[in-house]
């Protein structure tokens, strides 16, 4: 952690934040504060350059046009790329999976260059994937099933440098090879809205522990467990 206060970057909430994805930053801040760790959210809008000095970054999903504006901004101000190169954790949801890749193709067949933080590419599926998504994580440090809500047209293929986040139990996910999300260095990306960190506290603490560079004391939050149980059941 760079300073005594954990600084959580909420990247482009003005154009990327479908289904309350901005809530991921709130969850990180609250789970830090409940452990006595001072934390604040730094909003980075289209009016701001993207700083490379924050401790953890979150990006949400976006509709197609907003996704383009975000892509252009992240190309113009490459602070997120520098932060990821320095090992800072990044959480990228849905449209952000696509933007962080090499390119994504729109439903109209146009190929839009991404920012190549992830070795992935995205092409349109025949049909939009909409509904509950349940997966089993395959990365070190996560063992509990993940749940989220997906709504996307893109199907994402992973190159050799990117590993899947999870295997799909029900729902679509990446729409390629039965896997979901992409992980590369400190970047974790997923099609799961929810917000995903509200539904999956283990993932939230995984990012938080990387950001603070230390293990975290457990939190006993029965209401979070109730939400998990309910949402996992909804996926079947
Ligand atoms: N526009 C992208 C797609 O449809 C991402 C959608 C989203 O972020 N919800 O694939």
């Amino acid at each position: 952690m760079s300073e005594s206060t954990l600084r959580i970057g909420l990247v482009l909430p003005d154009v990327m934040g479908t289904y309350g994805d901005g809530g991921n930053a709130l969850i990180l801040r609250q789970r830090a504060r409940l452990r006595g760790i001072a934390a604040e959210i730094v909003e980075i809008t289209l009016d701001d350059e993207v700083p490379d000095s924050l401790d953890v970054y979150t990006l949400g999903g976006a509709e197609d046009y907003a996704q383009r504006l975000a892509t252009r901004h992240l190309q113009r101000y490459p602070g997120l790329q520098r932060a990821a190169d320095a090992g800072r954790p990044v959480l990228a949801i849905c449209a952000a999976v696509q933007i962080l890749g090499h390119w994504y193709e729109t439903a109209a067949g146009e190929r839009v260059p991404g920012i190549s933080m992830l070795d992935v590419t995205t092409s349109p599926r025949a049909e939009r994937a909409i509904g509950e998504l349940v997966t089993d994580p395959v990365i070190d440090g996560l063992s509990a099933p993940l749940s989220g809500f997906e709504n996307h047209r893109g199907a994402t293929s992973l190159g050799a440098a990117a590993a899947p986040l999870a295997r799909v139990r029900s729902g679509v996910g990446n729409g390629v090879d039965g896997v979901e999300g992409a992980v590369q260095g400190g970047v974790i990306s997923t099609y799961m809205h929810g917000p995903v960190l509200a539904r999956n506290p283990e993932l939230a603490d995984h990012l938080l522990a990387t950001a603070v560079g230390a293990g975290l004391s457990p939190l006993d939050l029965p209401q979070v467990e109730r939400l998990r149980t309910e949402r996992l059941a909804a996926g079947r």
Side-chain angles (χ1 to χ4, degrees):
M1 211 161 95
S2 50
E3 295 168 23
S4 56
T5 299
L6 181 81
R7 300 181 79 212
I8 301 158
L10 177 55
V11 182
L12 301 178
D14 43 350
V15 278
M16 303 187 78
T18 45
Y19 309 115
D21 287 335
N24 289 320
L26 290 171
I27 301 289
L28 289 173
R29 186 179 68 182
Q30 187 62 11
R31 295 186 74 87
R33 287 180 175 175
L34 286 170
R35 289 161 165 126
I37 301 167
E40 65 180 25
I41 295 171
V42 179
E43 289 199 11
I44 302 144
T45 73
L46 285 177
D47 288 331
D48 305 311
E49 295 188 16
V50 183
D52 59 14
S53 56
L54 306 181
D55 298 300
V56 53
Y57 293 77
T58 69
L59 299 92
E63 304 308 327
D64 294 355
Y65 184 68
Q67 180 171 351
R68 254 175 209 258
L69 295 177
T71 307
R72 210 177 299 156
H73 195 78
L74 295 174
Q75 281 161 345
R76 185 161 171 209
Y77 302 107
L80 185 70
Q81 296 86 317
R82 289 196 300 270
D85 285 346
R88 303 276 160 81
V90 175
L91 175 69
I93 310 297
C94 198
V97 178
Q98 305 174 6
I99 294 173
L100 266 51
H102 300 303
W103 49 260
Y104 61 91
E105 268 168 12
T106 67
E110 188 188 349
R111 188 173 284 195
V112 180
I115 58 173
S116 290
M117 275 173 62
L118 287 172
D119 188 13
V120 309
T121 57
T122 301
S123 301
R125 291 165 40 82
E127 285 174 13
R128 185 163 274 278
I130 306 175
E132 289 293 322
L133 177 57
V134 177
T135 68
D136 293 297
V138 293
I139 64 166
D140 285 347
L142 296 185
S143 57
L146 297 163
S147 94
F149 174 76
E150 63 181 330
N151 181 354
H152 56 102
R153 182 77 193 269
T156 297
S157 301
L158 273 50
L165 170 64
R167 289 211 72 77
V168 176
R169 209 191 270 188
S170 62
V172 174
N174 293 357
V176 182
D177 296 335
V179 297
E180 207 292 304
V183 178
Q184 193 171 331
V187 182
I188 295 182
S189 67
T190 171
Y191 274 104
M192 289 184 167
H193 304 281
V196 67
L197 298 188
R199 291 192 186 196
N200 303 285
E202 192 179 43
L203 179 59
D205 284 352
H206 182 79
L207 288 158
L208 210 47
T210 310
V212 301
L216 300 168
S217 53
L219 289 179
D220 183 21
L221 301 171
Q223 63 274 40
V224 174
E225 287 315 308
R226 281 202 297 280
L227 174 68
R228 270 191 71 66
T229 306
E230 192 233 46
R231 287 293 91 201
L232 283 166
R236 287 183 200 118

